[in-house]
Amino acid sequence: DVTSQTSCKYFIGKHSAASRSSTGRGTKGYVTFNFRNKLAPKLSFIKDYWRPNIWGTRTELANYLLLNGLSVCNIATAIGGGDVPGQLTISQNFLGIDKPAELSHCRIVFEELARPLSDYKSSALMILAVYNALEAHYDGWRKARILHRDISVSNIMRVVDQSLENDDFVVHGILNDWDLSKHKNELKDSHRVVRPVGTWAFMSAVSLQYPLKPSDLADDLE
């Protein structure tokens, strides 16, 4: 728990989403029963993945805590998480000189349950979700000077009110997956760019033509 700095119990089942790639971060998502309030357990969401363990870079959890602390709108609320002690990759040690970073097993617990953007019931709801994500992007840059750097269809989601059966009119969009985000000052550190950042199909034209160019605000907006 990021507030009380204590451990909490969560009951999970089979993952509701998972990466199909044989390489990468092995991201999985789980719907979970959250027993922070034992008298009224509720559903939450756990993101389980392997993050680059690079000294001097902020974790995704740290990014969320900063954004949540500044009341950035339309993003998920991180309520717990951290690295799993002692779980680090070793495969990078066998890949020669140009080896990738060591990965650390990480989990983040979010208060909200979200649905994919593609799971919309009307064009109006889809447009609203995208607009809300744009508001989140603007708010994150204005308040925290943080650039997302990985805008894609899978990172815009719909959140519904768990207490209501009919979610047609009780819905808003969120911009999630802030693991690749950087602060404005970090964007100037261009010598650290060693490979393209982002989801290929949603990268800007300039980023595709010059893949080692540091990301900027125009790239995200495109």
Side-chain angles (χ1 to χ4, degrees):
D1 187 295
V2 295
T3 303
S4 62
Q5 298 297 311
T6 58
S7 61
C8 299
K9 291 183 178 180
Y10 300 91
F11 284 82
I12 65 172
K14 181 181 178 181
H15 58 261
S16 58
S19 170
R20 298 181 180 180
S21 174
S22 58
T23 62
R25 303 189 181 193
T27 304
K28 294 183 177 67
Y30 299 89
V31 176
T32 174
F33 270 111
N34 176 353
F35 283 86
R36 295 173 75 198
N37 184 345
K38 295 182 180 180
L39 299 179
K42 61 177 293 187
L43 294 175
S44 297
F45 189 81
I46 292 180
K47 178 181 178 180
D48 180 289
Y49 69 110
W50 295 77
R51 69 169 187 86
N53 189 28
I54 302 175
W55 184 86
T57 60
R58 280 196 315 275
T59 64
E60 184 178 16
L61 178 59
N63 286 331
Y64 269 106
L65 295 179
L66 174 60
L67 295 166
N68 290 153
L70 294 173
S71 300
V72 171
C73 68
N74 301 333
I75 65 169
T77 307
I79 57 176
D83 290 348
V84 180
Q87 295 196 14
L88 302 168
T89 59
I90 62 172
S91 57
Q92 71 279 350
N93 297 329
F94 303 94
L95 296 179
I97 299 176
D98 188 23
K99 61 183 181 181
E102 174 185 77
L103 301 181
S104 176
H105 194 187
C106 175
R107 295 180 180 130
I108 305 178
V109 186
F110 296 104
E111 184 174 334
E112 300 86 357
L113 281 181
R115 298 178 181 177
L117 179 62
S118 57
D119 184 25
Y120 61 88
K121 297 183 178 180
S122 71
S123 297
L125 291 178
M126 182 195 70
I127 293 172
L128 176 62
V130 174
Y131 175 72
N132 291 154
L134 181 60
E135 290 180 312
H137 187 274
Y138 171 77
D139 223 24
W141 180 255
R142 181 175 63 92
K143 293 180 178 179
R145 283 292 185 258
I146 287 182
L147 192 66
H148 188 279
R149 300 202 312 159
D150 190 21
I151 307 294
S152 72
V153 66
S154 61
N155 289 341
I156 300 175
M157 305 195 76
R158 300 170 57 246
V159 174
V160 298
D161 191 330
Q162 296 183 36
S163 64
L164 301 177
E165 294 183 2
N166 186 349
D167 66 1
D168 286 353
F169 300 102
V170 187
V171 62
H172 70 276
I174 61 170
L175 181 61
N176 66 343
D177 286 355
W178 291 78
D179 52 323
L180 296 180
S181 62
K182 293 288 186 183
H183 189 271
K184 180 181 179 181
N185 294 334
E186 296 172 317
L187 296 174
K188 301 175 182 178
D189 196 5
S190 58
H191 70 275
R192 299 182 63 179
V193 180
V194 295
R195 55 178 57 88
V197 175
T199 303
W200 181 86
F202 298 93
M203 293 171 65
S204 70
V206 173
S207 295
L208 291 173
Q209 188 170 3
Y210 303 100
L212 299 186
K213 180 190 79 69
S215 303
D216 59 31
L217 184 59
D219 296 317
D220 263 24
L221 291 176
E222 183 180 334

